Amino acid sequence: MHGASSGVAYDRSVISSEFLTCTSHVPLLQSVVQCDPFSVIVRSPEQDWDPSTLLSALSQASAVLVAIIGGFLVSRLVAISSEREGIRRLVEAATGRIQHIESDLDQAHQTRLNRAKSYLYEEAVEKILEDPALDLDSLIQGRLLGGTAVDELKPYALSLRQRVQDAVKAINGKLRKGDTKALELEALVERGLVIADADQDIYEQAFKHRRRSLPSPAGLAMFGPSSYADLSSVLRPGIISDAAHAASLRRQDEEIKAEADLRTQLRAAVAERDRLDEELARVGKPVGVAAAMWMLGLLSLGILVPLIMMAFEPKGLDVVSKILLLGSFVIGLVAILWYVGWFWLKIGKDNTQATPGRSSEAPPR
């Protein structure tokens, strides 16, 4: 009746929430006066629709999706961090093992090389004294132990020849006119000859070789030059027992085998460390995490954009805005469902490739 008197047709089935709120706080007889029934009780649908409802719903729904993706990312990143830490510790253990093997290998190599140097030294000094221009390669080839290369002994042979030449030069510098075979090395030391501890044996051999060319003492010349011959030249090739020689060969074989075993262990340890480095790099680039981060960033816009629009208290939304908001939410939801399905298929595919041809085999014991 009131609607007819005012000349406006109202849909009496539509009752605004403002009138219900107003009448709940005042007596029934006063509601007509205080609650303005003509402007509050009955309204058209266009006047009663609030755009903030849609914006709030979209923002809350986007927040739920962001929470899902965020929870997945957090759990995934925690798992990646734990896996990286485990692999990093394995890399450190492999590196320490490599250093330990390298130290043992250097020691074994030096032991074998010292034996080869000692074997070469037994004849090298005397031959160099006899022929200073001796071909070192032929010298090494004649005194080369098994497991040793010529290139390994070449620097030592060059250094040894230089030391012998320096010793001969120093000894000749201290000789005087009138020196005979009766001369002793201690006399040259008293004259100022300086001998390093490491070169003591070289100087003794060089002195004995040089003394052979000195004249014999006048009173003993009748006995001939053999009177002062060094007995060391006779005793040097002293007979070595077969047992000692066999023991020396066994030690040599053991040293060669130990060095070869250490080289094999070193190659295996280096290969293991390289494999762990590749595994660590692979874990640093996990599959699916980058896509999830991009998706999380885009879904965050679904929270931010409605909040910004509600901050300006819009009176209404046009059809295009509604379509864009709803379409964006639907696209984000479809993207999440596609990502979950893709990730599930990816996990199944990786597990299938990890154990090819093992379905019919018994598990290892």
Side-chain angles (χ1 to χ4, degrees):
M1 179 177 183
H2 293 289
S5 63
S6 60
V8 180
Y10 294 101
D11 186 358
R12 296 181 181 275
S13 62
V14 180
I15 301 177
S16 69
S17 61
E18 295 181 11
F19 175 74
L20 296 177
T21 303
C22 178
T23 56
S24 65
H25 292 86
V26 298
L28 180 60
L29 295 177
Q30 298 178 5
S31 62
V32 176
V33 178
Q34 297 183 10
C35 296
D36 191 7
F38 295 101
S39 61
V40 176
I41 296 178
V42 180
R43 288 190 177 184
S44 63
E46 291 79 4
Q47 293 175 326
D48 195 53
W49 185 80
D50 186 4
S52 298
T53 304
L54 176 61
L55 296 176
S56 177
L58 290 175
S59 179
Q60 293 176 11
S62 299
V64 172
L65 298 179
V66 168
I68 294 174
I69 298 298
F72 167 78
L73 276 179
V74 170
S75 62
R76 184 81 169 121
L77 292 176
V78 170
I80 291 172
S81 177
S82 177
E83 188 176 0
R84 282 181 60 86
E85 181 64 19
I87 296 176
R88 186 185 62 81
R89 292 180 180 178
L90 292 177
V91 170
E92 291 180 354
T95 302
R97 184 166 178 266
I98 289 174
Q99 293 176 352
H100 180 71
I101 294 175
E102 286 178 343
S103 178
D104 292 344
L105 180 60
D106 291 340
Q107 184 176 359
H109 174 75
Q110 193 62 38
T111 300
R112 178 186 58 78
L113 190 59
N114 288 340
R115 179 182 293 275
K117 290 178 180 179
S118 177
Y119 185 69
L120 176 66
Y121 179 86
E122 292 177 359
E123 291 188 2
V125 175
E126 191 65 29
K127 289 186 176 181
I128 292 174
L129 289 173
E130 295 174 359
D131 184 8
L134 177 67
D135 183 17
L136 295 180
D137 290 337
S138 61
L139 173 63
I140 295 173
Q141 287 289 352
R143 302 288 294 181
L144 188 64
L145 288 179
T148 306
V150 176
D151 294 338
E152 290 182 293
L153 291 178
K154 188 65 174 290
Y156 173 74
L158 290 172
S159 175
L160 182 61
R161 180 165 64 181
Q162 185 62 44
R163 290 163 60 192
V164 171
Q165 292 176 353
D166 293 341
V168 172
K169 182 178 180 181
I171 291 173
N172 291 334
K174 297 300 179 181
L175 292 177
R176 296 175 182 175
K177 186 177 181 180
D179 288 337
T180 63
K181 285 184 171 62
L183 182 67
E184 298 293 338
L185 182 61
E186 288 75 8
L188 298 183
V189 174
E190 293 177 357
R191 296 176 187 178
L193 180 65
V194 179
I195 303 176
D197 294 338
D199 296 334
Q200 181 69 34
D201 187 66
I202 293 177
Y203 272 79
E204 290 179 358
Q205 293 190 51
F207 173 74
K208 292 175 182 179
H209 183 272
R210 180 66 180 85
R211 189 173 57 179
R212 295 171 191 165
S213 60
L214 294 178
S216 301
L220 300 177
M222 66 183 66
F223 296 100
S226 60
S227 302
Y228 286 88
D230 296 322
L231 295 178
S232 60
S233 60
V234 179
L235 298 177
R236 183 179 298 274
I239 300 175
I240 301 176
S241 64
D242 295 339
H245 182 68
S248 177
L249 292 178
R250 282 197 304 270
R251 285 195 300 269
Q252 176 185 340
D253 294 338
E254 290 174 357
E255 292 169 359
I256 295 174
K257 184 177 182 300
E259 185 177 359
D261 292 342
L262 288 172
R263 290 188 184 278
T264 302
Q265 295 178 20
L266 181 60
R267 286 194 295 269
V270 170
E272 178 66 14
R273 185 192 60 185
D274 293 342
R275 186 190 67 81
L276 290 173
D277 288 338
E278 294 177 358
E279 184 72 12
L280 189 62
R282 184 191 64 79
V283 173
K285 299 178 180 178
V287 177
V289 172
M293 294 182 67
W294 277 103
M295 194 177 301
L296 181 64
L298 294 177
L299 289 175
S300 299
L301 296 177
I303 304 174
L304 184 61
V305 172
L307 289 177
I308 294 175
M309 295 180 67
M310 284 190 293
F312 292 98
E313 298 180 354
K315 299 300 182 181
L317 294 175
D318 55 12
V319 178
V320 176
S321 299
K322 294 178 182 178
I323 293 175
L324 290 177
L325 290 172
L326 293 175
S328 300
F329 178 79
V330 171
I331 292 174
L333 181 60
V334 172
I336 290 178
L337 296 176
W338 171 85
Y339 177 79
V340 173
W342 170 81
F343 196 76
W344 177 72
L345 293 176
K346 180 67 177 176
I347 294 176
K349 182 178 179 181
D350 291 344
N351 291 337
T352 302
Q353 292 179 352
T355 57
R358 293 297 301 273
S359 58
S360 59
E361 297 181 5
R365 296 182 179 179

